[in-house]
Amino acid sequence: MKIDIFGMFVDEIALTIQPYGIPKYSAVQIAKWMYQHGIYDFNNMTNLSKKHRTILVEHCIINTVSTQAIEQSSDGKTSKYLLKFNDGMAVETVLMRQPYGNSVCVSTQVGCAMGCVFCASTLNGVIRNLTGGEILAQVLYINNLLKQEQTTVNTIVIMGSGEPLANYDNVLKFIRLCHEEYSLHLSYRSITLSTSGLVPEMDKLATEGLPVTLSISLHASNNELRSQLMPINSRYSLPEVMAAGDNYAKQTGRRVTYEYILIADFNDKVEHAQQLAILMRGRLANVNLIPVNPVIERGLLRPDSKRVQQFEQTLLKKGINVTVRREMGTDIRAACGQLRQKVLNKAPEVR
Ligand code: SAH
């Protein structure tokens, strides 16, 4: 069995290659070839000796991802990729060309266990966690594409399929790898992690000294409403999740974002906006309103734009920092799990 070195830190690569007589400094060279230059064939790592390249080919392998499907939005700004790993499992990765730079949305699990009623990723439960390397491979896939346009990945959002805090160690490894100088050298601040609200892991993340932006999927203005959308709310209630958000803001000094999906005739009334404003008052927080990507099977529809504006205005008048998420990629099923469902060619089961 060859050792897969993709997703290893330099120290780990060094430990792997030393027994074969390859010097420690070559670990940095190898890491740069993989993570910065997109070279996955040892034979093309030209600053290593021929002898060492042959040894590496014999004992090691670099497993990344291959393309299973691609969809482009009609405006060309959003591209969605279904990327396949070695074992045939595939996840979705999205490139969003924003005015402020290129943003990549990565998946952290194949499927998801959280069971949120509006989300396509969770329809068949969770199949497995992704490793840190498999999450990084998604970003590097996009980075390699962008290089052809002389540009690069600027920000990362951990908002694809899966609950990142349910795959804590691998996700943390991924975040640290993105920050390494021999890799993407991204600042922690340019990485956003979105969670459905796993309180113990949120508290743990606050102690790691990684000032990533935390985004919390709130989606409701009171506990009872949230329970109807998100089964996890029976384990960690809305007030507990918000207390963990406050703790994160306090420990890291970072403003927390609360995501709020707007669903027609469910959580989109003025009274909900007023309730939400009271929840947000005095907190180091932003609200991000997301008109839902419709899930027809479940009767979840998007409110009309007047309703969305009214909701936003009600929050603004109360002095809450609020933005409405720019529509991106609705025409290509950019909502979580929708492309994967299509390719798996299974009619989404409605629970
Ligand atoms: N499990 C994490 C991250 C993945 S979901 C979380 O819950 O935050 C990323 C974001 O997409 C979440 O805010 C999620 O609620 C949202 N999302 C899922 N399905 C959606 C849909 N149909 N329309 C709009 N947003 C959706």
Side-chain angles (χ1 to χ4, degrees), residues 105-106 108-109 112 114 116-121 158-165 193-197 215-219 226 230 259-262 290-295 300 302 325 334-338:
C105 174
V106 294
T108 55
Q109 296 180 310
C112 183
M114 306 314 289
C116 302
V117 298
F118 46 80
C119 184
S121 295
I158 309 176
M159 285 195 191
S161 71
E163 168 47 54
L165 296 185
L193 183 148
S194 178
T195 180
S196 57
S215 204
I216 299 172
S217 293
L218 196 69
H219 303 330
R226 192 169 192 263
M230 304 175 72
E259 293 159 275
Y260 190 102
I261 288 186
L262 283 165
I290 313 162
V292 72
N293 278 303
V295 187
L300 304 179
R302 175 176 293 185
R325 186 171 295 177
C336 300
Q338 293 185 337

Side-chain angles (χ1 to χ4, degrees), residues 210-222:
L210 308 175
V212 297
T213 305
L214 185 66
S215 204
I216 299 172
S217 293
L218 196 69
H219 303 330
S221 56
N222 63 60

Side-chain angles (χ1 to χ4, degrees), residues 12 53 77 97 172 197 230 241 247 305 318:
E12 298 172 303
R53 286 186 242 169
K77 289 191 179 146
R97 296 163 197 267
L172 267 269
M230 304 175 72
V241 170
N247 177 52
S305 56
K318 304 260 178 198

Side-chain angles (χ1 to χ4, degrees), residues 18-50:
Q18 263 173 338
Y20 306 115
I22 304 175
K24 208 176 159 187
Y25 66 79
S26 287
V28 179
Q29 296 173 313
I30 296 169
K32 286 187 174 173
W33 282 118
M34 294 193 290
Y35 303 144
Q36 294 184 343
H37 303 293
I39 298 293
Y40 304 132
D41 180 346
F42 294 112
N43 290 312
N44 295 335
M45 300 186 176
T46 47
N47 56 0
L48 304 180
S49 72
K50 277 248 161 72

